[in-house]
Amino acid sequence: LVVMHDDSVDRMTNGSGYIREKTYAQLRELTVGTHERIPTLKEAIEAIGKSVKIAIELKGPGTAIPTARIIQEYIAKGWPTDHFYILSFDHIELYEFYKIIPQIKRCATIYGTMVGLSQYAQEYGFNAIATSYEYATEKFVNDAHKHGLHVFVYTVNDPHIIKQLLFIGVDGIVSDYPDRVQTEVQFMQDTLIIGRTPFAQSGL
């Protein structure tokens, strides 16, 4: 398993082509930036360590089972289960992961919204739902919370929009600038606008 945002290597490396069409050896020959290589999932986990919680998005088909096996290795070493969070647009992969390690929290990601989303998430054992920030209305958030689900939104870099989302009660914000999220969280806590502490995730 390697860690990459895109489904191809074109944008981030000196190579071209889809990741799924390359061998591990071919991917490791590519450079990211000057000397860096595409990291494996294990290398990324080791680099991050226990300093922050790790959100892992399952991007490709067949990634749920090997990801679960790797996380099991770290749990066996004493890492807490709540150190990891799994999310994916591919809800089949998410459900496959759930069948292996049900105690790890999982987030069903969508673009937009859907009728009965909260009930659907509950049925398949998801703990949270995530959508693009444009679709995160107060009604959307309240409905999820009534069903015991957290709400995450992506990808938000504008401080004004961050403040609006915190005001309606989202639980997590994916951002390329987590410091901006933290600034707005602190401001709203200081002014007693919110009564609980959302957490910020940096964009992956």
Side-chain angles (χ1 to χ4, degrees):
L1 290 176
V2 296
V3 179
M4 176 70 76
H5 179 277
D6 302 352
D7 57 1
S8 76
V9 298
D10 297 46
R11 184 172 66 93
M12 294 297 295
T13 77
N14 63 339
S16 63
Y18 289 101
I19 292 175
R20 65 176 178 270
E21 295 174 352
K22 295 185 179 296
T23 65
Y24 172 72
Q26 289 171 331
L27 290 172
R28 293 293 276 189
E29 290 175 354
L30 304 177
T31 56
V32 183
T34 306
H35 302 293
E36 295 83 1
R37 304 289 177 180
I38 297 174
T40 64
L41 178 56
K42 281 188 175 183
E43 287 173 338
I45 293 174
E46 291 293 336
I48 296 168
K50 298 180 181 179
S51 58
V52 294
K53 293 185 178 183
I54 301 174
I56 301 172
E57 181 177 6
L58 304 176
K59 291 269 189 176
T63 52
I65 294 175
T67 298
R69 298 302 182 213
I70 288 173
I71 291 178
Q72 284 178 325
E73 292 179 20
Y74 285 92
I75 293 174
K77 295 176 184 177
W79 289 45
T81 56
D82 66 357
H83 189 75
F84 299 96
Y85 218 116
I86 305 300
L87 56 154
S88 184
F89 282 95
D90 188 334
H91 300 170
I92 295 175
E93 287 295 316
L94 210 57
Y95 187 63
E96 288 298 314
F97 184 95
Y98 165 69
K99 290 191 292 185
I100 300 173
I101 319 181
Q103 63 269 37
I104 299 287
K105 291 183 177 179
R106 298 155 310 282
C107 175
T109 309
I110 62 171
Y111 180 78
T113 186
M114 59 181 275
V115 175
L117 176 59
S118 295
Q119 295 92 326
Y120 162 81
Q122 277 189 321
E123 180 181 352
Y124 287 96
F126 304 146
N127 308 97
I129 51 180
T131 188
S132 180
Y133 71 88
E134 304 101 305
Y135 299 97
T137 64
E138 188 169 7
K139 181 180 178 181
F140 180 90
V141 174
N142 289 340
D143 181 64
H145 286 168
K146 286 178 183 177
H147 287 83
L149 301 166
H150 285 122
V151 177
F152 304 145
V153 290
Y154 63 88
T155 300
V156 192
N157 296 325
D158 185 320
H160 180 67
I161 298 175
I162 291 171
K163 187 176 296 183
Q164 289 179 326
L165 291 167
L166 292 173
F167 188 77
I168 66 172
V170 302
D171 302 285
I173 295 176
V174 178
S175 178
D176 298 316
Y177 302 93
D179 57 317
R180 297 179 186 178
V181 180
Q182 294 289 5
T183 296
E184 295 304 327
V185 168
Q186 189 61 54
F187 171 78
M188 298 186 83
Q189 288 176 334
D190 291 345
T191 53
L192 300 180
I193 295 176
I194 56 177
R196 56 194 174 84
T197 306
F199 65 85
Q201 296 178 184
S202 60
L204 300 178

